[in-house]
DNA sequence: TCGAGGTAGTCGTATCTACAACGATAAGGA
DNA sequence: TCCTTATCGTTGTAGATACGACTACCTCGA
């Protein structure tokens, strides 16, 4: 988003880079910025909603939801880390905080002496149920409401492709 | 993403929530998750690329680009904070780090004794020029490459609407 | 001219994250 | 069995962020 227009800094009368550029790659770069902005702004709004309603923050929700969706509502630490895209070191402390709040348990893996499971506690399931309506309202209000049914289809296919490519090792 | 299917935790044979749901709201919730996953995964990849190439990290790039695009390549601190969606407190320290690296200057605002400008330094412009090719390659590789021209149009319109709504105070 | 209320930026503090190094355990070939 | 190599989760450390309190300064009406 800089580099073309070498002379922009000298030509004081042109104050900004052109926002509309016909090249296809430029279109994608503009889209990327809108993608980042939309993400940051919507996340901020939703986090505010969650905080105000005094329910789980997004990071805790992600952990507990991943456990909820797992077989037997439990996952090995490294699987959980991969599922929610955090490092193992970060997950150790995040899980410790959530465990301290009583929303999950840690259990040794009998089949692997190195391993630990994080397992959803009843209180964690309850917290998910309390949080979800607030979260869902935020998603609808700040995100879904602005998208037509057709756009939802297009976006969904596109994001699936992008995530799949970015996540393969 | 939890709350329906009250009995899921009892019905051990059904291990996961259904991923495909016909309701339109559910489609939007699934889309939201894909949106989050795609964002996190692509950002991770691009940050890795930037780090490996030893150019600016995204947070510094955002600051310097905002300055580059501003009239006279400078912005008041609070304008800059709003432009890149960080708090003023966070921006104070971020700008301090970038200034220490010599990529921007802070200048008092003669018209308002409370105010400070952050102004792009020549070294900052140079850093932008060095970083951009790496960043652009990352965007193309991890994001743009996976989107058709038509999808780019649809996504761009959609994100513009979403950001506009989320950012209005 | 003064004073009340608002705004700008900074800073103390608490959180949270990544990175790298570590001890413990597992897996597999010699 | 022994030994090498890899993986698992944790931890020390450093860096980055948000929140709230604080000072300095501006604005505007009496």
């Amino acid at each position: 988003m800089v580099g073309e227009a070498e002379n922009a800094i000298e030509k004081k009368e042109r104050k900004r880079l052109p926002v509309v550029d016909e090249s296809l790659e430029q279109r994608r770069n503009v889209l990327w910025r809108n993608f980042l902005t939309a993400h940051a702004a919507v996340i901020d709004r939703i986090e505010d909603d969650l905080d105000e309603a005094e329910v789980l923050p997004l990071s805790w929700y992600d952990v507990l939801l991943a456990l909820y969706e797992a077989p037997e509502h439990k996952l090995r630490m490294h699987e959980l880390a991969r599922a929610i895209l955090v490092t193992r070191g970060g997950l150790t402390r995040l899980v410790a905080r959530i465990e301290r709040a009583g929303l999950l348990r840690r259990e040794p893996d009998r089949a692997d002496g190195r391993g630990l499971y994080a397992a959803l506690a009843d209180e964690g399931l309850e917290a998910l149920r309390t949080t979800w309506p607030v979260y869902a309202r935020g998603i609808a209000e700040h995100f879904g409401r602005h998208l037509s049914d057709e756009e939802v289809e297009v976006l969904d296919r596109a994001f699936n492709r992008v995530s799949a490519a970015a996540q393969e090792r």
Side-chain angles (χ1 to χ4, degrees), chain A:
Chain A
M1 240 74 92
V2 70
E4 316 77 21
E6 296 290 316
N7 55 351
I9 202 166
E10 288 83 25
K11 300 179 64 172
K12 298 290 187 184
E13 72 277 12
R14 187 212 283 173
K15 294 182 180 158
R16 296 165 180 281
L17 282 176
V19 169
V20 177
D21 187 297
E22 294 314 310
S23 110
L24 294 175
E25 182 175 348
Q26 285 290 327
R27 296 283 303 165
R28 282 165 167 74
N29 293 337
V30 171
L31 172 63
W32 171 250
R33 289 181 71 176
N34 284 333
F35 176 71
L36 293 184
T37 307
H39 177 270
V42 174
I43 288 283
D44 275 2
R45 289 308 188 91
I46 291 179
E47 290 272 22
D48 287 349
D49 292 348
L50 295 174
D51 190 52
E52 191 174 352
E54 297 184 342
V55 293
L56 298 174
L58 239 28
S59 57
W60 289 32
Y61 187 86
D62 288 344
V63 168
L64 297 177
L65 182 63
L67 296 180
Y68 175 71
E69 295 184 334
E72 300 180 62
H73 301 313
K74 67 183 189 181
L75 283 175
R76 284 286 298 272
M77 292 292 283
H78 69 279
E79 297 174 314
L80 183 53
R82 169 169 262 273
I84 63 174
L85 302 174
V86 300
T87 61
R88 281 178 319 184
L91 184 64
T92 293
R93 300 175 219 252
L94 178 55
V95 162
R97 288 192 294 274
I98 302 176
E99 185 183 36
R100 215 172 303 132
L103 305 185
L104 62 75
R105 295 180 306 278
R106 278 189 290 194
E107 306 172 348
D109 181 348
R110 263 179 257 280
D112 185 339
R114 298 166 301 179
L116 278 180
Y117 280 106
L120 186 64
D122 291 345
E123 292 82 356
L125 179 60
E126 188 53 37
L128 279 176
R129 291 221 171 95
T130 308
T131 301
W132 172 242
V134 180
Y135 188 18
R137 195 172 334 118
I139 295 170
E141 173 83 11
H142 305 302
F143 182 74
R145 191 160 67 82
H146 307 287
L147 305 173
S148 72
D149 295 343
E150 295 74 23
E151 284 172 333
V152 170
E153 299 298 326
V154 174
L155 297 190
D156 199 45
R157 281 195 297 272
F159 289 150
N160 276 325
R161 255 177 284 131
V162 170
S163 322
Q167 283 190 70
E168 68 199 13
R169 184 99 310 261

